[in-house]
Amino acid sequence: MTHWSTFEKETERETKKLIRCISGVEDEEDQNFQLALKFAWSNFKFHRYLDVDSHKVQRSINGIYEKLMVHSDLSKAESWMRLTEEFLNSPLPNTDGAKTDAHYSLLSLLLFLSGSPSNTDFTERPRVKEAEEEDNFDWARYLMEGEDIDMGPYPDTPEWSEEESEDDDSQQPISREDSGIQLDRTPQEDQDNNNKTVPVTWTVGEPDARAWLEQHVVTPYWVAHAPRFPHSLHLHSNLLNVWDQHLYNTDPLYLPEEKAFVTETQVIRETLWLLSGVKKHFIFQHHDGKVSVRNNVVVTHLTSNCLHSVLEHIAVYGQAVFRLQRFIDEVTGYSSEPCPPGSSSSYSSKKGSEPPFRTYQAFVWALNKYFTSFKEELTTIERELICNDETVTLSAVLERLNPHLAQIKVLHKVFCTGVAEVPPETPNVVRASHLLNTLYKAIIEYDSVGEASEQAVALLFSLWTETVRPYLEIVDEWIVHGHLFDPAKEFIIQRNKDVPVNHRDFWYATYTLYSVSETVDNEEKLNDAASGSSGGDQGSSNRQLTMVSFLKPVLKQIIMAGKSMQLLKNLDCKEAEQSERSSRDAERKSLYTLFLESVQSRLCSQEESPTDTVTEHQATKRSLIKMQSIIAQHLEIDDVHDPLLAINFARLYLEQSDFHERFSGGDFIVDRSSQSVTCQTFELTLRSCLYPHIERRYIECCGNLMKTLKKDYKLLEYLQAMRNYFLLEAGDTMYDFYTAIFDKVQEKESWQQLSFLNVQLQEAVGQRHPEDSSRLSIFLETIDPARKKHPVNNLEVLTLSYKVPWPVDIVISSECQKIYNQVFLLLLQIKWAKYSLDTLRFTYYTTFSKIKMCLLRVKLMHFVNSLHNYITTRILHSTGLEFQHQVQEAKDLDQLIKIHYRYLATIHDRCLLREKVSFVKEAIMKVLNLVLIFSDRWQAGFGAWKIESIDKMESDFKNCHMFLVTILNKAVCRGSFPHLESLALSLMAGFEQC
């Protein structure tokens, strides 16, 4: 080891110490000790760690300095830079030069070990530098020993030095007292002087500014071991010491803890700062979004428990302010710090690139307006605290802030329920609906309390009016201009862009209504379809579905007005232009503006009411006594003797003018079907200030659309055409068509030819209704071969079609034409049977079989005529008259569509086409088929008839006839099918004659 350097020897020695400390092996000759020593030396010499990056370390040093400067820790920042610079420039043992890798390695290690430099209390300890030993050896005498030097005539005069003269000149101050000239310096000289760490000497009259502030503004209570401030020695001012002494004397295990003394003024100021949204305090601490109170903070005149109970109460409101302010910063984009883990802010979980939707922006705008006024109040209190010479206590400040703290509690409750508790990744439509519902229910809840919560109701109402503004603007844009502008998809009605306006499914599939459950975690998307209702009754019965509560009464009107206005815009009609022109001519105000003006006028009208308080008070007192006696009598009936309950009931119903008469008469009924009587103020405001404007626009838009469809697009004419051709109301026209088919059948000729059918249809229609000849056509469909065994089913191959233009096809859809075709086919089958019996030729009959056939023909004729008269008169004609009357009274297109569907459903049911009564139709079809067979054999001649076949046909008819009479009579007796009464009576009369 003689060739080892000193550094290697020291490393060897320290390594052995390390091995002894960790392994506990003391014998260096031990094999385990030698293995550990070799392992350590191997890692020291052949390690794979990268060399330190001096630039990275320097950036970290500069970053810590900037952070300390931002936190206003000037002394700490100055010490940090000075000490690191001194260390980098100082030599190290066994290392030559400054700012070497060894310097930066040590600094890097310290940076890795450091926790949070900005939050650490640091006080630089003065370090006494080791004084360099002065060399007292006289080198001049030693070196000049034996030399003769001529010292001149004045040997005691010191040698003149040019450097000394320059130094003396630089240290001599420039006199400014009589010259009036100040010393001018260049910016470069100023910069050089600033870089030099020369201690500043202050002359008399110019004290250190920082020291002056520390001595005259406030005692630095936030630092460790802060000096105690002087205070009175009165007993009331030393209650903490008295209590501590009492605990010390009574509890032998009591150990006084180190305390940070503050004054009550400092507590008040930090309370005001906390409520103002300031995050860095001494008394209050922020940690993971929660506000806590420092344990060791005390005041001299209060016990620790008393102070902490008050401060913890304040901390709750401070935390509420902190959460609300953080939400405001997140939505406005001013948040400078990430949310802590487990934060309850729901909006922060959304994508950072997604902008906040307008409902949240409006809610934040309302919150910000409130906090602006609240902070102004806090600033006023702090200014009075500073400028006022009178004593201000914490209890007085809290009493002054009590109304604001109650409002903050209300706001925080609304925020937690309406925003914070919404699960992450929830759609905007659910977020907006839930927030508006929360505000709506909060207003109803606090309004039910009465006068005790007037301020809360006023605050919530102002908050609601601001938050609801985007919703009302979306509604206004839709029902006025026909454009549903909702880029963030926050409105409960959303546009399906896949369906264009000029499509026949526009009215059914263009808009989607979102209905959200109370628990918010479920969402049900309901298609608006033909109905414009809210869809609340279509949800499952095990949970109550809700949407934006305040829009429920007018949701149908909004949907109808919006769709009608959009349809009008695309119809390019005069009514839409006139509607828009009238809106512009009248200087139309937005729906939100009209709502606010209506609310303002309603409040003004209430303020201008008569104020004869004395007379009104006397009358109220007399009425109250009267009501109390009446209600007390009614309560005694149920063995309830409570005069206070009677008084409160009397006050509750005193405003009803007819209460005395109704209650004393014994027929008074309490209506419990809706909200409580005391919860109607806000709902009445909506009914009188918002809903009438929406209703007025609904009437205007839907009326213009109905007028356009009836006048410009001939909606009524198309409905009449459907009845003429499908329901055979144009008897002369359709008679020529179907008789041509029946003649072909009787002549045993082929009639199922598309060309023949279309020619007959065009000829029949073109003679009397040429405008419909191009729209009407017929098609042939394939049927099951098994059904062709019965002649009456051969007509099922026919399908009539009528081309309906847009937008009339919104009302007369393809589904409607399918129902029309089913009724059309039934009518053709009845017409065919009737035509077959009517065209039979008579001769003189003498044989019994011929007479029996004639009697059977009469019975069949009576059955078919009864069925024909029932369908054409009792069903089609009377129902058609009712349908025409309802069409004229329809207010909107949705109502017209419902009327048309109801009309088709009615004739479909009354024509016995419903699946539920299919057995009745089968019996009728069996009789009609029997008629066709009878007609066919009649025309074949009587020679082909046998008496057994006649008896068999008569028996089948009698069975079907009796079955139908029995079924119809039971249905009429139950009252389930009153329209069948005429058919039942007619068939019964024919059955009795048989």
mmCIF file of all heavy atoms in Angstrom, residues 735-751 756 760 795 832 835-836 839 939:
data_model
loop_
_atom_site.group_PDB
_atom_site.id
_atom_site.type_symbol
_atom_site.label_atom_id
_atom_site.label_comp_id
_atom_site.label_asym_id
_atom_site.label_seq_id
_atom_site.Cartn_x
_atom_site.Cartn_y
_atom_site.Cartn_z
ATOM 1 N N TYR A 735 -115.985 3.199 -57.808
ATOM 2 C CA TYR A 735 -116.920 2.164 -58.277
ATOM 3 C C TYR A 735 -116.505 1.658 -59.648
ATOM 4 O O TYR A 735 -116.525 0.447 -59.916
ATOM 5 C CB TYR A 735 -118.337 2.727 -58.296
ATOM 6 C CG TYR A 735 -119.368 1.737 -58.776
ATOM 7 C CD1 TYR A 735 -119.904 0.793 -57.915
ATOM 8 C CD2 TYR A 735 -119.806 1.758 -60.098
ATOM 9 C CE1 TYR A 735 -120.848 -0.129 -58.360
ATOM 10 C CE2 TYR A 735 -120.753 0.845 -60.559
ATOM 11 C CZ TYR A 735 -121.270 -0.091 -59.676
ATOM 12 O OH TYR A 735 -122.207 -0.999 -60.132
ATOM 13 N N ASP A 736 -116.123 2.560 -60.539
ATOM 14 C CA ASP A 736 -115.699 2.147 -61.874
ATOM 15 C C ASP A 736 -114.449 1.279 -61.799
ATOM 16 O O ASP A 736 -114.271 0.369 -62.622
ATOM 17 C CB ASP A 736 -115.422 3.373 -62.735
ATOM 18 C CG ASP A 736 -116.674 4.190 -62.970
ATOM 19 O OD1 ASP A 736 -117.770 3.640 -62.803
ATOM 20 O OD2 ASP A 736 -116.556 5.393 -63.301
ATOM 21 N N PHE A 737 -113.578 1.557 -60.821
ATOM 22 C CA PHE A 737 -112.337 0.798 -60.707
ATOM 23 C C PHE A 737 -112.593 -0.618 -60.211
ATOM 24 O O PHE A 737 -112.182 -1.592 -60.840
ATOM 25 C CB PHE A 737 -111.365 1.533 -59.774
ATOM 26 C CG PHE A 737 -110.187 0.712 -59.352
ATOM 27 C CD1 PHE A 737 -109.217 0.335 -60.268
ATOM 28 C CD2 PHE A 737 -110.054 0.286 -58.029
ATOM 29 C CE1 PHE A 737 -108.141 -0.437 -59.873
ATOM 30 C CE2 PHE A 737 -108.982 -0.482 -57.638
ATOM 31 C CZ PHE A 737 -108.020 -0.840 -58.556
ATOM 32 N N TYR A 738 -113.304 -0.756 -59.087
ATOM 33 C CA TYR A 738 -113.408 -2.101 -58.521
ATOM 34 C C TYR A 738 -114.455 -2.953 -59.242
ATOM 35 O O TYR A 738 -114.375 -4.179 -59.227
ATOM 36 C CB TYR A 738 -113.645 -2.076 -57.009
ATOM 37 C CG TYR A 738 -114.891 -1.390 -56.508
ATOM 38 C CD1 TYR A 738 -116.155 -1.962 -56.676
ATOM 39 C CD2 TYR A 738 -114.809 -0.195 -55.799
ATOM 40 C CE1 TYR A 738 -117.291 -1.359 -56.186
ATOM 41 C CE2 TYR A 738 -115.938 0.413 -55.299
ATOM 42 C CZ TYR A 738 -117.180 -0.161 -55.491
ATOM 43 O OH TYR A 738 -118.307 0.438 -54.988
ATOM 44 N N THR A 739 -115.458 -2.343 -59.887
ATOM 45 C CA THR A 739 -116.416 -3.164 -60.647
ATOM 46 C C THR A 739 -115.766 -3.789 -61.869
ATOM 47 O O THR A 739 -116.142 -4.904 -62.276
ATOM 48 C CB THR A 739 -117.619 -2.324 -61.063
ATOM 49 O OG1 THR A 739 -117.177 -1.145 -61.766
ATOM 50 C CG2 THR A 739 -118.472 -1.930 -59.851
ATOM 51 N N ALA A 740 -114.757 -3.081 -62.438
ATOM 52 C CA ALA A 740 -114.046 -3.675 -63.573
ATOM 53 C C ALA A 740 -113.289 -4.928 -63.126
ATOM 54 O O ALA A 740 -113.223 -5.926 -63.872
ATOM 55 C CB ALA A 740 -113.089 -2.654 -64.183
ATOM 56 N N ILE A 741 -112.755 -4.894 -61.922
ATOM 57 C CA ILE A 741 -112.061 -6.083 -61.391
ATOM 58 C C ILE A 741 -113.061 -7.194 -61.115
ATOM 59 O O ILE A 741 -112.841 -8.376 -61.459
ATOM 60 C CB ILE A 741 -111.279 -5.709 -60.119
ATOM 61 C CG1 ILE A 741 -110.225 -4.660 -60.418
ATOM 62 C CG2 ILE A 741 -110.636 -6.941 -59.492
ATOM 63 C CD1 ILE A 741 -109.484 -4.146 -59.200
ATOM 64 N N PHE A 742 -114.197 -6.846 -60.492
ATOM 65 C CA PHE A 742 -115.199 -7.867 -60.158
ATOM 66 C C PHE A 742 -115.766 -8.528 -61.416
ATOM 67 O O PHE A 742 -116.030 -9.738 -61.426
ATOM 68 C CB PHE A 742 -116.319 -7.257 -59.328
ATOM 69 C CG PHE A 742 -115.859 -6.668 -58.018
ATOM 70 C CD1 PHE A 742 -116.603 -5.679 -57.370
ATOM 71 C CD2 PHE A 742 -114.677 -7.096 -57.426
ATOM 72 C CE1 PHE A 742 -116.173 -5.147 -56.171
ATOM 73 C CE2 PHE A 742 -114.257 -6.556 -56.215
ATOM 74 C CZ PHE A 742 -114.998 -5.583 -55.602
ATOM 75 N N ASP A 743 -115.968 -7.756 -62.485
ATOM 76 C CA ASP A 743 -116.477 -8.323 -63.738
ATOM 77 C C ASP A 743 -115.495 -9.326 -64.324
ATOM 78 O O ASP A 743 -115.886 -10.385 -64.841
ATOM 79 C CB ASP A 743 -116.757 -7.217 -64.745
ATOM 80 C CG ASP A 743 -117.943 -6.351 -64.323
ATOM 81 O OD1 ASP A 743 -118.766 -6.843 -63.525
ATOM 82 O OD2 ASP A 743 -118.030 -5.188 -64.774
ATOM 83 N N LYS A 744 -114.194 -8.991 -64.238
ATOM 84 C CA LYS A 744 -113.180 -9.923 -64.734
ATOM 85 C C LYS A 744 -113.229 -11.245 -63.950
ATOM 86 O O LYS A 744 -113.056 -12.327 -64.509
ATOM 87 C CB LYS A 744 -111.784 -9.296 -64.576
ATOM 88 C CG LYS A 744 -111.462 -8.221 -65.611
ATOM 89 C CD LYS A 744 -110.969 -8.844 -66.897
ATOM 90 C CE LYS A 744 -110.465 -7.784 -67.863
ATOM 91 N NZ LYS A 744 -109.997 -8.392 -69.133
ATOM 92 N N VAL A 745 -113.439 -11.130 -62.631
ATOM 93 C CA VAL A 745 -113.484 -12.328 -61.801
ATOM 94 C C VAL A 745 -114.683 -13.191 -62.179
ATOM 95 O O VAL A 745 -114.583 -14.421 -62.305
ATOM 96 C CB VAL A 745 -113.535 -11.949 -60.312
ATOM 97 C CG1 VAL A 745 -113.712 -13.194 -59.452
ATOM 98 C CG2 VAL A 745 -112.266 -11.215 -59.918
ATOM 99 N N GLN A 746 -115.851 -12.537 -62.370
ATOM 100 C CA GLN A 746 -117.042 -13.304 -62.698
ATOM 101 C C GLN A 746 -116.945 -13.954 -64.070
ATOM 102 O O GLN A 746 -117.499 -15.029 -64.307
ATOM 103 C CB GLN A 746 -118.276 -12.395 -62.643
ATOM 104 C CG GLN A 746 -118.671 -12.005 -61.222
ATOM 105 C CD GLN A 746 -119.935 -11.166 -61.197
ATOM 106 O OE1 GLN A 746 -120.477 -10.790 -62.249
ATOM 107 N NE2 GLN A 746 -120.422 -10.868 -59.996
ATOM 108 N N GLU A 747 -116.225 -13.303 -64.969
ATOM 109 C CA GLU A 747 -116.062 -13.859 -66.317
ATOM 110 C C GLU A 747 -114.904 -14.859 -66.379
ATOM 111 O O GLU A 747 -114.532 -15.306 -67.465
ATOM 112 C CB GLU A 747 -115.828 -12.728 -67.311
ATOM 113 C CG GLU A 747 -117.037 -11.808 -67.454
ATOM 114 C CD GLU A 747 -116.718 -10.586 -68.320
ATOM 115 O OE1 GLU A 747 -115.570 -10.511 -68.817
ATOM 116 O OE2 GLU A 747 -117.596 -9.722 -68.480
ATOM 117 N N LYS A 748 -114.339 -15.173 -65.253
ATOM 118 C CA LYS A 748 -113.249 -16.131 -65.158
ATOM 119 C C LYS A 748 -112.030 -15.715 -65.966
ATOM 120 O O LYS A 748 -111.277 -16.539 -66.485
ATOM 121 C CB LYS A 748 -113.709 -17.523 -65.627
ATOM 122 C CG LYS A 748 -114.954 -18.053 -64.945
ATOM 123 C CD LYS A 748 -114.746 -18.236 -63.449
ATOM 124 C CE LYS A 748 -116.003 -18.807 -62.800
ATOM 125 N NZ LYS A 748 -115.841 -19.008 -61.335
ATOM 126 N N GLU A 749 -111.811 -14.419 -66.049
ATOM 127 C CA GLU A 749 -110.657 -13.898 -66.769
ATOM 128 C C GLU A 749 -109.584 -13.463 -65.770
ATOM 129 O O GLU A 749 -109.868 -13.159 -64.604
ATOM 130 C CB GLU A 749 -111.055 -12.714 -67.653
ATOM 131 C CG GLU A 749 -112.039 -13.086 -68.757
ATOM 132 C CD GLU A 749 -112.390 -11.881 -69.600
ATOM 133 O OE1 GLU A 749 -111.807 -10.795 -69.362
ATOM 134 O OE2 GLU A 749 -113.247 -12.016 -70.500
ATOM 135 N N SER A 750 -108.353 -13.405 -66.250
ATOM 136 C CA SER A 750 -107.240 -12.995 -65.390
ATOM 137 C C SER A 750 -107.303 -11.486 -65.145
ATOM 138 O O SER A 750 -107.355 -10.694 -66.093
ATOM 139 C CB SER A 750 -105.905 -13.363 -66.051
ATOM 140 O OG SER A 750 -104.841 -12.909 -65.260
ATOM 141 N N TRP A 751 -107.294 -11.109 -63.898
ATOM 142 C CA TRP A 751 -107.340 -9.677 -63.540
ATOM 143 C C TRP A 751 -106.084 -9.208 -62.786
ATOM 144 O O TRP A 751 -105.889 -8.000 -62.590
ATOM 145 C CB TRP A 751 -108.567 -9.405 -62.666
ATOM 146 C CG TRP A 751 -108.557 -10.174 -61.372
ATOM 147 C CD1 TRP A 751 -109.029 -11.419 -61.165
ATOM 148 C CD2 TRP A 751 -108.014 -9.728 -60.105
ATOM 149 N NE1 TRP A 751 -108.840 -11.813 -59.866
ATOM 150 C CE2 TRP A 751 -108.210 -10.775 -59.169
ATOM 151 C CE3 TRP A 751 -107.383 -8.545 -59.679
ATOM 152 C CZ2 TRP A 751 -107.818 -10.686 -57.858
ATOM 153 C CZ3 TRP A 751 -107.005 -8.451 -58.365
ATOM 154 C CH2 TRP A 751 -107.209 -9.511 -57.466
ATOM 155 N N PHE A 756 -103.261 -3.756 -66.449
ATOM 156 C CA PHE A 756 -104.720 -3.650 -66.469
ATOM 157 C C PHE A 756 -105.235 -2.849 -65.275
ATOM 158 O O PHE A 756 -106.104 -1.969 -65.408
ATOM 159 C CB PHE A 756 -105.332 -5.049 -66.479
ATOM 160 C CG PHE A 756 -106.784 -5.091 -66.108
ATOM 161 C CD1 PHE A 756 -107.758 -4.647 -67.001
ATOM 162 C CD2 PHE A 756 -107.179 -5.551 -64.859
ATOM 163 C CE1 PHE A 756 -109.097 -4.673 -66.644
ATOM 164 C CE2 PHE A 756 -108.518 -5.579 -64.512
ATOM 165 C CZ PHE A 756 -109.484 -5.141 -65.400
ATOM 166 N N GLN A 760 -107.175 0.819 -65.458
ATOM 167 C CA GLN A 760 -108.504 1.016 -64.905
ATOM 168 C C GLN A 760 -108.519 2.116 -63.845
ATOM 169 O O GLN A 760 -109.453 2.931 -63.779
ATOM 170 C CB GLN A 760 -109.008 -0.303 -64.301
ATOM 171 C CG GLN A 760 -109.245 -1.413 -65.321
ATOM 172 C CD GLN A 760 -110.318 -1.044 -66.328
ATOM 173 O OE1 GLN A 760 -111.307 -0.364 -66.000
ATOM 174 N NE2 GLN A 760 -110.130 -1.470 -67.565
ATOM 175 N N LEU A 795 -107.999 -10.837 -53.099
ATOM 176 C CA LEU A 795 -107.851 -9.383 -53.214
ATOM 177 C C LEU A 795 -106.681 -8.844 -52.374
ATOM 178 O O LEU A 795 -106.339 -7.666 -52.481
ATOM 179 C CB LEU A 795 -109.144 -8.687 -52.771
ATOM 180 C CG LEU A 795 -110.350 -8.864 -53.700
ATOM 181 C CD1 LEU A 795 -111.556 -8.166 -53.110
ATOM 182 C CD2 LEU A 795 -110.055 -8.305 -55.089
ATOM 183 N N TRP A 832 -117.050 -6.624 -52.863
ATOM 184 C CA TRP A 832 -117.062 -7.770 -53.779
ATOM 185 C C TRP A 832 -118.206 -8.731 -53.438
ATOM 186 O O TRP A 832 -118.940 -9.187 -54.314
ATOM 187 C CB TRP A 832 -115.711 -8.485 -53.709
ATOM 188 C CG TRP A 832 -115.538 -9.559 -54.761
ATOM 189 C CD1 TRP A 832 -116.321 -9.780 -55.845
ATOM 190 C CD2 TRP A 832 -114.517 -10.549 -54.776
ATOM 191 N NE1 TRP A 832 -115.853 -10.847 -56.576
ATOM 192 C CE2 TRP A 832 -114.735 -11.339 -55.942
ATOM 193 C CE3 TRP A 832 -113.429 -10.834 -53.963
ATOM 194 C CZ2 TRP A 832 -113.904 -12.412 -56.288
ATOM 195 C CZ3 TRP A 832 -112.599 -11.893 -54.303
ATOM 196 C CH2 TRP A 832 -112.834 -12.681 -55.458
ATOM 197 N N TYR A 835 -121.460 -7.001 -54.397
ATOM 198 C CA TYR A 835 -121.610 -6.939 -55.849
ATOM 199 C C TYR A 835 -121.962 -8.318 -56.415
ATOM 200 O O TYR A 835 -122.771 -8.451 -57.351
ATOM 201 C CB TYR A 835 -120.314 -6.422 -56.473
ATOM 202 C CG TYR A 835 -120.382 -6.230 -57.973
ATOM 203 C CD1 TYR A 835 -120.992 -5.114 -58.527
ATOM 204 C CD2 TYR A 835 -119.818 -7.177 -58.826
ATOM 205 C CE1 TYR A 835 -121.039 -4.937 -59.908
ATOM 206 C CE2 TYR A 835 -119.866 -7.016 -60.202
ATOM 207 C CZ TYR A 835 -120.470 -5.888 -60.741
ATOM 208 O OH TYR A 835 -120.534 -5.730 -62.109
ATOM 209 N N SER A 836 -121.370 -9.345 -55.824
ATOM 210 C CA SER A 836 -121.645 -10.697 -56.293
ATOM 211 C C SER A 836 -123.109 -11.071 -56.070
ATOM 212 O O SER A 836 -123.746 -11.727 -56.927
ATOM 213 C CB SER A 836 -120.730 -11.706 -55.586
ATOM 214 O OG SER A 836 -119.377 -11.424 -55.865
ATOM 215 N N THR A 839 -125.589 -8.899 -58.455
ATOM 216 C CA THR A 839 -125.581 -9.184 -59.888
ATOM 217 C C THR A 839 -126.151 -10.556 -60.237
ATOM 218 O O THR A 839 -126.113 -10.960 -61.404
ATOM 219 C CB THR A 839 -124.149 -9.083 -60.420
ATOM 220 O OG1 THR A 839 -123.295 -9.958 -59.669
ATOM 221 C CG2 THR A 839 -123.643 -7.658 -60.334
ATOM 222 N N GLN A 939 -124.142 -18.892 -60.559
ATOM 223 C CA GLN A 939 -123.896 -18.597 -61.961
ATOM 224 C C GLN A 939 -123.583 -19.860 -62.749
ATOM 225 O O GLN A 939 -123.793 -19.909 -63.970
ATOM 226 C CB GLN A 939 -122.741 -17.596 -62.091
ATOM 227 C CG GLN A 939 -123.078 -16.221 -61.557
ATOM 228 C CD GLN A 939 -121.893 -15.264 -61.643
ATOM 229 O OE1 GLN A 939 -120.811 -15.687 -62.031
ATOM 230 N NE2 GLN A 939 -122.129 -14.008 -61.282
#
